[in-house]
């Protein structure tokens, strides 16, 4: 089973910024997505990098504020959060699948992805 490890979570002030990291196995090229889950809320797709061309898809709630990226050297994925809002609080997960998957579908379907990390918590203070 593929192992994913998220890190970088913590407390951030309203309007502040934070960067989350995800370390997948080496030579992972099936695509990667970031999801988040607030207390008592459904898991929500945040961003997804397509396996084919690296195209990144964002949810409307974070578009323009969050940026997903990847470091080629160590195959590490990041989620840069800027101008955070109260609703950005929650546990963030990086997730993927054993085979290539389409971000257009996966970003709205967490159950379509079968490899998840333990998550990293983000709290927002006013």
């Amino acid at each position: 089973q593929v192992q994913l490890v998220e890190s970088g979570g913590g407390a951030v002030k309203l309007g502040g910024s934070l960067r989350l990291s995800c370390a997948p196995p080496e030579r992972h090229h099936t695509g990667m997505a970031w999801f988040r889950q607030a207390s008592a809320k459904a898991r929500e797709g945040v961003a997804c990098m397509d396996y084919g061309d690296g195209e990144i898809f964002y949810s409307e709630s974070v578009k323009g504020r969050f940026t997903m990226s990847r470091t080629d050297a160590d195959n590490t994925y990041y989620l840069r959060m800027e101008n955070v809002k109260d609703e950005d609080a929650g546990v963030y997960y990086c997730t993927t699948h054993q085979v290539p998957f389409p971000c257009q579908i996966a970003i709205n379907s967490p159950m379509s992805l079968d490899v998840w990390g333990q998550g990293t918590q983000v709290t927002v203070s006013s």
Side-chain angles (χ1 to χ4, degrees):
Q1 182 79 6
V2 176
Q3 298 293 321
L4 299 176
V5 180
E6 302 97 338
S7 62
V12 59
K13 294 182 178 180
L14 185 68
S17 62
L18 196 67
R19 188 181 72 167
L20 309 182
S21 301
C22 173
E26 295 182 3
R27 303 181 186 85
H28 182 76
H29 305 291
T30 64
M32 186 69 68
W34 283 96
F35 279 74
R36 67 185 181 188
Q37 185 168 27
S39 181
K41 298 294 190 300
R43 195 162 293 185
E44 172 192 18
V46 174
C48 184
M49 182 177 290
D50 194 79
Y51 69 91
D53 56 7
E55 182 72 18
I56 303 173
F57 298 82
Y58 298 95
S59 66
E60 290 298 321
S61 63
V62 308
K63 188 176 297 182
R65 299 186 300 112
F66 288 12
T67 303
M68 184 177 180
S69 62
R70 173 180 178 274
T71 300
D72 293 336
D74 57 3
N75 196 36
T76 298
Y77 291 78
Y78 303 94
L79 183 67
R80 177 68 176 181
M81 306 166 59
E82 296 181 294
N83 191 26
V84 298
K85 302 177 179 180
D86 287 333
E87 56 264 40
D88 292 326
V91 178
Y92 283 71
Y93 304 86
C94 57
T95 180
T96 188
H97 193 46
Q98 296 291 354
V99 298
F101 60 92
C103 279
Q104 296 180 66
I105 301 300
I107 195 169
N108 295 310
S109 304
M111 297 307 296
S112 68
L113 305 174
D114 59 3
V115 182
W116 296 77
Q118 293 299 308
T120 184
Q121 188 174 52
V122 173
T123 58
V124 181
S125 62
S126 300

